[in-house]
Amino acid sequence: MSDTIKNAVIEKLRQIKGPNLEGNIVSLGLVSDVFVSDGRVAFSITVPAERAQELEPLRQAAEKVVKEVDGVENAMVALTAERAPGGARNTPSRPAPSRPQRAPEEQAASKPGVPGIKHIIAVASGKGGVGKSTTTANLALAMAANGLKVGVLDADIYGPSVPRLFNVSGRPESVSGRVLKPLEGYGIKVMSMGFMVEEETPMIWRGPMVISALTQMLREVAWGDLDVLVVDMPPGTGDAQLTMAQQVPLAGAVIVSTPQDLALIDARKGLNMFKRVDVPVLGIIENMSYFLCPDCGSRHDIFGHGGARDEASRLGVPFLGEIPLLMKIRETSDAGTPIVVSDPEGTVAGIYKDIAAKVAGEVETAASSAERAAPQIVFD
Ligand code: ADP
């Protein structure tokens, strides 16, 4: 069924002329893989970076014709601005490789801020299972408890867990045209790859597809006024993560790591990744840092904690704090009531609030130095 729709979509797109009004976007090789799921169609069209704005009508025309295809309920079309080396595309029928090809100054120019959102920060980890999503949720809630207006964008394509953590489900409604209304949990606006794709299909959302979903979640969601939008990045430091980091106008990134050596090596990779895309690293958080005995309240450094603190000082990035390994953190997360909301006055909530305050401070510092260096962050 979805193959039939896909073929019909591609046929329909042959009606759309290329950017220079020659040929059509399909035969010119400008259309990425077309992804179809549950009546929703998503793809991107590659256009020269400098003409992206002027070619918005082309994007709209493509979206319009695709919506006319039988079985299509919604279409999500993004323009991908890609500059191949030497200005020529050598892989016409496939999306261009996701490896970054732009110089940092070009990236800055191609990443306009999102109106209404003051700062966007990423939470990243070198590998999965270190507690990145748990930290994202509690950090966002702690920032809100500290008085900030906060949103969470769950960009973890491999295992979007933010809906579960915030106990929200369902599909975001559209408010007008393409613009979606974010869901809300504990006063925090939430969007997730999990709302956009069926649970069994996330692996398909690679390359340009992920980027178009990310762009939509960033720019076509009624976020309203936010002090901070926290992005839960997919774990790892591969091309997919790098491309995503490159697409979002990030004020900075927070790296979550466990004390074990291996995780620390991975955290280092995370640092390097953000350096490559010119995003300041706001600091490292050590998660599952020490065991807090639930019965006696005493602390046991069973993993030789402190590795992240040492590593942070070696690398010259701020150390943001230590979060204990605590059954309560896991239980409350699994129940969709993260510890910062279920035990707001407890010790652990206090730890998250301290970290949240440090992160907010680092964001301000990074933003003001970026403003001095180059107008990289746009305030609307
Ligand atoms: P990631 O996003 O890095 O894959 P998760 O946030 O999903 O990791 O966490 C992995 C598992 O570890 C989850 O079951 C979560 O509840 C648990 N967890 C995370 N942080 C802690 C912690 N500090 N103490 C106890 N369990 C934790």
Side-chain angles (χ1 to χ4, degrees):
M1 173 65 180
S2 61
D3 265 1
T4 320
I5 296 182
K6 182 172 164 170
N7 292 335
V9 165
I10 294 170
E11 271 323 296
K12 199 81 177 174
L13 287 172
R14 292 187 191 277
Q15 295 176 5
I16 307 292
K17 288 205 165 74
N20 298 325
L21 303 179
E22 286 162 3
N24 69 69
I25 56 172
V26 177
S27 60
L28 289 168
L30 303 178
V31 178
S32 72
D33 273 346
V34 173
F35 177 72
V36 181
S37 164
D38 205 15
R40 283 167 299 150
V41 174
F43 59 91
S44 62
I45 305 169
T46 304
V47 297
E50 63 282 2
R51 295 184 60 192
Q53 219 162 7
E54 162 206 344
L55 292 171
E56 171 61 18
L58 183 149
R59 189 194 67 72
Q60 286 176 7
E63 202 170 78
K64 185 158 176 282
V65 297
V66 167
K67 281 186 180 161
E68 289 166 7
V69 172
D70 264 355
V72 173
E73 280 168 30
N74 204 353
M76 202 160 85
V77 184
L79 294 182
T80 313
E82 195 64 60
R83 258 176 240 184
R89 285 174 55 81
N90 47 12
T91 51
S93 62
R94 307 291 306 170
S98 54
R99 212 168 267 287
Q101 294 166 345
R102 299 178 196 142
E105 48 298 353
E106 285 177 289
Q107 289 162 23
S110 66
K111 284 197 294 185
V114 180
I117 303 181
K118 272 196 208 145
H119 304 295
I120 304 178
I121 63 170
V123 179
S125 63
K127 61 174 198 172
V130 301
K132 174 182 55 59
S133 300
T134 308
T135 307
T136 301
N138 280 300
L139 190 62
L141 290 162
M143 284 178 165
N146 288 349
L148 298 178
K149 273 191 244 138
V150 186
V152 173
L153 195 167
D154 177 11
D156 188 345
I157 35 175
Y158 305 110
S161 47
V162 167
R164 181 176 45 81
L165 284 159
F166 282 87
N167 196 20
V168 292
S169 60
R171 291 256 158 83
E173 296 165 21
S174 69
V175 272
S176 67
R178 288 169 59 88
V179 179
L180 298 176
K181 187 173 170 219
L183 299 187
E184 202 163 318
Y186 309 115
I188 292 191
K189 290 184 178 143
V190 178
M191 273 301 287
S192 170
M193 287 280 179
F195 302 149
M196 318 286 283
V197 290
E198 300 307 319
E199 241 173 66
E200 58 276 17
T201 52
M203 286 307 172
I204 306 171
W205 285 71
R206 297 270 167 98
M209 287 304 95
V210 171
I211 295 304
S212 56
L214 184 68
T215 309
Q216 192 189 19
M217 289 201 290
L218 202 59
R219 303 193 183 276
E220 288 162 19
V221 165
W223 289 110
D225 286 333
L226 293 182
D227 294 307
V228 182
L229 179 68
V230 186
V231 182
D232 188 9
M233 294 283 289
T237 51
D239 278 353
Q241 290 81 357
L242 195 65
T243 309
M244 290 172 87
Q246 216 174 9
Q247 294 296 321
V248 180
L250 291 171
V254 169
I255 314 261
V256 179
S257 177
T258 61
Q260 287 89 334
D261 276 349
L262 194 63
L264 287 174
I265 290 165
D266 283 319
R268 234 170 289 162
K269 281 195 201 147
L271 281 173
N272 287 335
M273 174 174 88
F274 287 108
K275 264 194 200 137
R276 279 179 66 188
V277 292
D278 223 18
V279 170
V281 172
L282 304 170
I284 298 181
I285 298 174
E286 187 170 89
N287 188 36
M288 310 193 204
S289 177
Y290 52 92
F291 179 66
L292 198 58
C293 174
D295 300 323
C296 63
S298 65
R299 169 182 170 141
H300 305 268
D301 292 340
I302 49 180
F303 311 113
H305 103 282
R309 184 189 288 274
D310 295 346
E311 189 64 20
S313 84
R314 234 192 327 272
L315 295 164
V317 297
F319 182 69
L320 299 167
E322 296 161 350
I323 299 159
L325 174 76
L326 196 63
M327 194 63 93
K328 203 83 208 266
I329 295 181
R330 193 177 64 71
E331 285 168 355
T332 49
S333 293
D334 287 351
T337 53
I339 198 155
V340 171
V341 279
S342 53
D343 186 14
E345 302 307 323
T347 317
V348 179
I351 293 173
Y352 281 114
K353 285 182 208 167
D354 284 349
I355 294 177
K358 274 194 200 142
V359 171
E362 293 298 335
V363 172
E364 291 299 336
T365 312
S368 51
S369 60
E371 223 177 345
R372 276 198 306 276
Q376 200 168 353
I377 293 161
V378 180
F379 294 92
D380 286 278

